[in-house]
Amino acid sequence: MTAVNEQQAQRLWTQGENALARRDRAGARAAFQSLLALQPGHVPARLRLSTLATAQGRYREAVAELKAIVALGPSEPELLALLAGMLHRLGETAEAIGCASHASWGSSRDPAQLEDMADLLVQMGELDAASLQLDRADGISGASAKSCYLRGNIELFRGRLVEASAATEACLARAPAHAQAHWLLSRLRRQTEASNHVPRLQALLARDLPAGDRTVLAFALFKELDDLERHEDAWQALSLGCSTKRAMLDYRPGDEARAFEALRRWRAPVPRESLPGSDEGPQPIFIVGLPRTGTTLLERILGGHPEVENAGELDDLPLQLRWCCDRFSKNFVDAELFEAAGRIDFAVLGQRYLQHAQWRARGKPRFTDKLPLNFLHVGFIAEALPQARILHMTRDPMDSCLSNLKELFAEAYPYSYRQDELADHYGRYRRLMSHWHALYSGRILDIAYEALVSDPETQARRVLEFCGLSWVPGCVDIASNPAPVSTASSAQVREAIHKERVQNWRKYEAQLQPLRDRLMADGWLA
């Protein structure tokens, strides 16, 4: 490149940066696009354009700019780290994994960055790659609190609960107030009067803590007190955790109600026998419903079949729906997105979903996609993926709601921290599922949690027949299944199937009366 062109490129970069400082996004975009016309390999300009496109809701452009950078074959750890995070947020998981586990990380001398990549790899279910990054980080500066905490999670997901406990205690030895580690430790086993962490948690909660730490510790204390059947004290801890968490969230029930109404206005397009490419390669089995209603249990049973690979909770369908609508949204419950979805080409949605998800089948003809929130997308799944099977877990309304109330989620389920909001969300969910059943009769199989734990073999045979799979003895023996589990049930599903959690809500019957009254008024309880 000539000196004149280099000077022009620098002027355009400065022009774009100055426009960003003035919050002139249109001017910044024009400057950076002109710079790329001059220098197509200018990575910082492409990063700026991707960020601008995300901020302005242009999903396809945001993805395209990042993929253009990946095509250049970057190997600098700082750039790889940035790309990995951005690609992950936009649903380009395979490329994100490639960046986070790139061979060039072997020469990195930055343990914090290696730990960050391990954290991201854990989120994407790549446990072996995450362990390798932690080995590299520990080899540079020794095991940090974060490294030990991440190893605790990895061992939990692998079902190695003793090792998970040891790693988590090692984290707390380095950082005694590490709230997430205390929460993880509370979930690794059933606490007993002879062995629990209640005094330690109570002492920490007596301190002046940030709201986030207070929330996490309160949920940990609830879990341990609930195990000890100290229900009055447990409820106080849960109330503290829920109220603190709810105050941190920008949850607007009215917006959620609008989005559900948009979905209930959905009417199926003209039926088609098949879509191009929709029956090629491994096919998905979607498991949907409210979280904590037995979806992981059902996934484990299916994963015991030799023709099924458990792929975990994938966000590929909602993110590819956003790509098709060319609309970026941080919230999975988005009325404008659902309105726009009625105008997309469902063949494209199906093809993009399969392109992004089929690799997870690892050579098997079927794979599970167990994102509970996909109950929102049943209509889109039915139209885009005619070969897909859709399994819907149901559970007693009170048990369903309590299981949500007592679980500390990330940001995906903001309705779950107040009894009135939880009951209203439950009603919206039930009405939406009735709508999907009416539109797609025969495409959705309901499986009751209570029936599944009472007679696992009968229900498993029913599920496998619906999925077009033969019966395999032993698939209900989930305790012997060694496959990793990265959901909130990761410790529970290492146990044999039992009925202990049926009617679990009655332990807190008095405290849950507001929830019961609201569900009854809405017609969900007799």
Side-chain angles (χ1 to χ4, degrees):
M1 175 171 285
T2 67
V4 173
N5 283 344
E6 188 61 48
Q7 291 172 357
Q8 185 180 356
Q10 185 57 48
R11 281 197 300 272
L12 287 168
W13 174 257
T14 302
Q15 182 181 329
E17 291 291 277
N18 289 340
L20 279 180
R22 299 191 306 270
R23 299 186 178 181
D24 175 11
R25 290 175 172 173
R29 185 182 183 215
F32 294 133
Q33 286 178 330
S34 296
L35 174 51
L36 285 179
L38 197 64
Q39 292 185 3
H42 198 290
V43 169
R46 290 200 181 276
L47 287 171
R48 288 285 194 265
L49 284 171
S50 181
T51 302
L52 277 167
T54 300
Q56 295 177 307
R58 295 189 304 277
Y59 203 101
R60 298 183 186 189
E61 182 182 334
V63 170
E65 293 295 353
L66 294 180
K67 288 200 163 191
I69 298 173
V70 171
L72 295 172
S75 59
E76 304 85 353
E78 292 78 10
L79 176 56
L80 290 169
L82 188 60
L83 285 171
M86 296 173 75
L87 287 162
H88 173 55
R89 284 190 293 275
L90 291 172
E92 300 300 320
T93 306
E95 288 85 351
I97 291 170
C99 291
S101 57
H102 195 279
S104 65
W105 286 108
S107 59
S108 172
R109 303 303 298 168
D110 186 341
Q113 206 165 58
L114 288 163
E115 289 172 353
D116 286 345
M117 289 303 94
D119 193 352
L120 187 60
L121 287 162
V122 170
Q123 293 175 45
M124 295 187 288
E126 296 296 305
L127 304 184
D128 291 342
S131 296
L132 176 58
Q133 296 293 50
L134 292 178
D135 290 343
R136 290 166 173 164
D138 295 353
I140 296 168
S141 58
S144 69
K146 181 174 181 177
S147 174
C148 293
Y149 171 70
L150 290 172
R151 287 191 189 278
N153 276 282
I154 290 170
E155 297 297 349
L156 167 62
F157 297 158
R158 286 173 169 161
R160 296 159 47 110
L161 303 185
V162 173
E163 291 82 355
S165 179
T168 309
E169 288 286 12
C171 168
L172 292 172
R174 292 160 173 77
H178 195 297
Q180 292 284 348
H182 285 288
W183 182 58
L184 174 59
L185 200 59
S186 72
R187 298 161 58 211
L188 290 176
R189 62 173 173 83
R190 184 182 296 274
Q191 309 299 316
T192 66
E193 291 291 350
S195 177
N196 63 75
H197 314 98
V198 168
R200 184 165 69 179
L201 291 167
Q202 290 173 328
L204 285 167
L205 280 165
R207 299 182 187 177
D208 184 18
L209 297 169
D213 287 353
R214 181 169 296 278
T215 298
V216 173
L217 291 168
F219 272 89
L221 181 58
F222 164 76
K223 164 61 169 63
E224 301 223 355
L225 291 169
D226 183 60
D227 285 349
L228 301 177
E229 298 188 359
R230 291 167 55 181
H231 297 140
E232 291 292 337
D233 293 339
W235 186 262
Q236 290 183 17
L238 181 59
S239 298
L240 171 63
C242 285
S243 61
T244 310
K245 177 70 173 181
R246 180 63 182 88
M248 298 167 62
L249 296 171
D250 182 25
Y251 171 58
R252 303 175 186 181
D255 289 349
E256 179 180 282
R258 264 194 327 117
F260 273 72
E261 283 304 311
L263 288 171
R264 290 179 64 202
R265 289 193 296 271
W266 168 264
R267 294 295 179 268
V270 177
R272 286 166 287 187
E273 288 299 318
S274 64
L275 299 177
S278 62
D279 57 351
E280 297 175 4
Q283 295 297 313
I285 301 171
F286 288 90
I287 301 173
V288 306
L290 288 183
R292 311 294 288 133
T293 56
T295 54
T296 303
L297 170 59
L298 180 58
E299 176 194 46
R300 297 290 283 178
I301 291 172
L302 281 163
H305 196 284
E307 295 182 16
V308 181
E309 179 72 15
N310 286 157
E313 296 188 357
L314 308 183
D315 53 15
D316 292 293
L317 194 286
L319 291 178
Q320 293 314 311
L321 180 65
R322 279 149 182 71
W323 188 94
C324 289
C325 295
D326 201 16
R327 176 181 171 82
F328 181 81
S329 174
K330 293 181 180 179
N331 192 347
F332 277 1
V333 187
D334 180 337
E336 287 71 24
L337 177 79
F338 297 149
E339 295 282 4
R343 301 184 293 273
I344 68 171
D345 183 336
F346 284 100
V348 173
L349 175 60
Q351 289 163 1
R352 287 192 63 84
Y353 172 83
L354 294 174
Q355 288 166 4
H356 285 76
Q358 281 183 323
W359 64 273
R360 297 179 185 274
R362 304 188 190 282
K364 296 182 181 180
R366 303 291 186 89
F367 63 96
T368 58
D369 183 336
K370 192 201 74 71
L371 182 68
L373 268 172
N374 272 329
F375 79 81
L376 295 167
H377 309 121
V378 166
F380 312 137
I381 294 168
E383 294 300 326
L385 296 159
Q387 304 301 321
R389 298 293 189 269
I390 304 170
L391 306 176
H392 172 220
M393 280 300 302
T394 70
R395 192 177 181 183
D396 171 85
M398 290 295 290
D399 275 340
S400 294
C401 289
L402 175 60
S403 69
N404 278 236
L405 187 71
K406 70 181 187 178
E407 185 63 46
L408 177 59
F409 298 109
E411 307 303 321
Y413 306 106
Y415 61 82
S416 64
Y417 302 101
R418 278 179 39 172
Q419 293 190 44
D420 56 343
E421 293 173 347
L422 177 54
D424 292 347
H425 177 86
Y426 180 85
R428 287 190 278 270
Y429 146 73
R430 285 287 298 270
R431 283 184 281 272
L432 179 59
M433 285 308 304
S434 294
H435 175 67
W436 293 140
H437 271 294
L439 285 181
Y440 298 102
S441 178
R443 287 295 309 272
I444 309 161
L445 179 69
D446 286 347
I447 304 100
Y449 173 80
E450 293 79 10
L452 185 59
V453 298
S454 294
D455 189 355
E457 181 171 327
T458 296
Q459 294 303 312
R461 286 180 180 274
R462 179 170 164 257
V463 166
L464 292 174
E465 181 181 2
F466 179 80
C467 294
L469 295 166
S470 60
W471 169 248
V472 174
C475 66
V476 295
D477 182 16
I478 63 168
S480 63
N481 186 338
V485 184
S486 58
T487 69
S489 306
S490 47
Q492 293 175 5
V493 295
R494 302 298 173 182
E495 307 167 0
I497 297 173
H498 56 75
K499 297 182 283 186
E500 181 181 332
R501 295 182 182 89
V502 174
Q503 293 288 292
N504 198 40
W505 69 273
R506 292 196 179 279
K507 296 188 297 185
Y508 298 100
E509 186 167 359
Q511 295 92 335
L512 291 170
Q513 194 60 45
L515 172 69
R516 185 172 169 79
D517 289 344
R518 203 165 182 108
L519 288 172
M520 190 173 295
D522 206 15
W524 305 116
L525 295 175

